């Protein structure tokens, strides 16, 4: 049953590619306005999920010293992966870091593999946390997929090929989910440590990628609105915690 939940969640994440395509029919200004709020909500949910759900749950299963060490190591490893593979989420068509389309595909494949592993790790602990995690990942996947599709078009791919390649890469999340599930059986004692690993990943994604995107906004009114949406994401995670109790 757990494996089925993981597969369903990962499959739904892979479908974010198609949702993102719908946004491409919007005017550029409208798309820009929507993207900043999606990023803000995602950042709030990721931060709220890490500090209000994942870490408290992990503290009951792992000692505090080990808990914070695992979170720190995870944060550092995510940073290392980004530096080695020049991997960075991009929400705009002309993102300079994605110079070549194929480099973008390799980086995104790795990213989606990790997302799948994170989803599996949380579902192995708790179903409700798995649902929250899937929602958080979906929200930051949509703007990323919009950017990735634009990058492939800019790199010279036609729309059909770009769409097919983008979906193939997005489907790697399913492989990550399967690997994460079976890894729990072959690596003794890994399950209690999966929550702080997921938390470290969430904190890194929000702090290194999403929040800097929000800070780029210069318009005061839009900045206030996007910050409010960021807080809304945290409040939603607090409400979910309250409902659990």
């Amino acid at each position: 049953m757990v494996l089925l939940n993981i597969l369903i969640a990962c499959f739904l994440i892979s479908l974010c590619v198609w949702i993102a395509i719908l946004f491409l029919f919007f005017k550029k200004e409208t798309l820009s306005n929507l993207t900043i709020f999606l990023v803000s909500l995602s950042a709030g949910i990721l931060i709220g999920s890490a500090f209000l759900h994942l870490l408290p749950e992990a503290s009951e299963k792992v000692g505090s010293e080990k808990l914070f060490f695992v979170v720190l190591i995870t944060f550092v490893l995510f940073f290392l992966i980004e530096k080695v593979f020049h991997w960075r989420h991009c929400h705009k068509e002309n993102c300079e870091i994605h110079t070549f389309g194929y480099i973008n595909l390799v980086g995104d494949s790795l990213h989606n593999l990790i997302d799948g592993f994170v989803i599996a790790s949380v579902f192995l602990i708790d179903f409700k946390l798995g649902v929250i995690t899937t929602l958080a990942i979906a929200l930051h996947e949509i703007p990323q997929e919009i950017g990735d599709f634009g990058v492939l078009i800019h790199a010279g791919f036609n729309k059909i090929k770009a769409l097919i390649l983008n979906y193939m890469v997005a489907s790697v999340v399913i492989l990550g989910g399967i690997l994460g599930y079976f890894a729990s059986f072959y690596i003794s004692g890994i399950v209690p440590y999966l929550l702080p690993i997921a938390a470290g990943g969430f904190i890194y994604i929000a702090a290194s990628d999403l929040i800097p995107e929000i800070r780029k906004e210069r318009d005061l009114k839009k900045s206030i609105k996007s910050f409010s949406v960021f807080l809304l994401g945290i409040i939603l995670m607090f409400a979910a915690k309250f409902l659990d109790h």
Side-chain angles (χ1 to χ4, degrees):
M1 186 64 181
V2 175
L3 179 59
L4 179 62
N5 291 333
I6 293 170
L7 290 175
I8 291 173
C10 290
F11 176 71
L12 291 175
I13 292 298
S14 73
L15 295 181
C16 287
V17 169
W18 308 102
I19 297 174
I21 299 306
L22 297 177
F23 282 84
L24 296 175
F25 292 99
F26 286 46
K27 292 181 179 179
K28 248 184 177 178
E29 185 179 346
T30 305
L31 179 60
S32 178
N33 290 334
L34 288 173
T35 298
I36 188 66
F37 294 123
L38 280 173
V39 171
S40 299
L41 183 62
S42 176
I45 288 177
L46 288 173
I47 290 291
S49 180
F51 286 102
L52 298 175
H53 291 271
L54 300 177
L55 290 177
E57 182 80 14
S59 66
E60 298 176 4
K61 301 176 175 11
V62 182
S64 59
E65 186 174 334
K66 291 182 180 178
L67 170 66
F68 294 116
F69 180 74
V70 172
V71 172
L72 176 61
I73 290 299
T74 302
F75 193 96
V76 172
L77 284 177
F78 268 62
F79 178 59
L80 177 62
I81 290 170
E82 181 182 57
K83 297 300 289 183
V84 171
F85 288 91
H86 300 286
W87 162 47
R88 191 160 186 80
H89 302 173
C90 181
H91 310 294
K92 295 182 180 178
E93 290 183 17
N94 59 346
C95 185
E96 295 179 0
I97 197 71
H98 297 308
T99 308
F100 304 103
Y102 287 110
I103 294 177
N104 179 64
L105 290 171
V106 171
D108 283 338
S109 295
L110 179 62
H111 161 219
N112 291 327
L113 188 71
I114 292 172
D115 277 350
F117 193 89
V118 168
I119 289 172
S121 68
V122 181
F123 267 111
L124 282 164
I125 302 294
D126 183 76
F127 174 78
K128 291 180 181 178
L129 283 178
V131 173
I132 292 171
T133 298
T134 303
L135 174 61
I137 289 176
L139 283 170
H140 90 261
E141 247 347 91
I142 292 173
Q144 180 198 324
E145 295 299 346
I146 294 172
D148 290 338
F149 185 80
V151 166
L152 293 178
I153 295 297
H154 185 69
F157 294 100
N158 63 56
K159 289 183 179 181
I160 299 299
K161 188 172 183 179
L163 184 57
I164 292 172
L165 288 173
N166 223 24
Y167 184 67
M168 288 174 63
V169 168
S171 298
V172 175
V173 69
I174 299 173
L175 175 61
I178 294 172
L179 289 175
Y181 175 78
F182 285 105
S184 66
F185 295 104
Y186 292 100
I187 304 177
S188 178
I190 190 176
V191 172
Y193 295 94
L194 294 178
L195 283 173
I197 289 173
F202 275 22
I203 294 169
Y204 181 82
I205 292 169
S208 73
D209 180 59
L210 302 182
I211 291 176
E213 285 289 329
I214 301 169
R215 289 180 59 193
K216 290 178 183 177
E217 181 56 56
R218 299 297 181 185
D219 183 85
L220 180 59
K221 288 184 179 180
K222 192 183 288 187
S223 294
I224 293 173
K225 288 179 182 178
S226 62
F227 181 71
S228 299
V229 173
F230 169 74
L231 291 180
L232 175 63
I234 295 176
I235 291 170
L236 288 174
M237 291 301 94
F238 179 77
K241 186 179 181 69
F242 180 77
L243 289 173
D244 282 345
H245 290 300

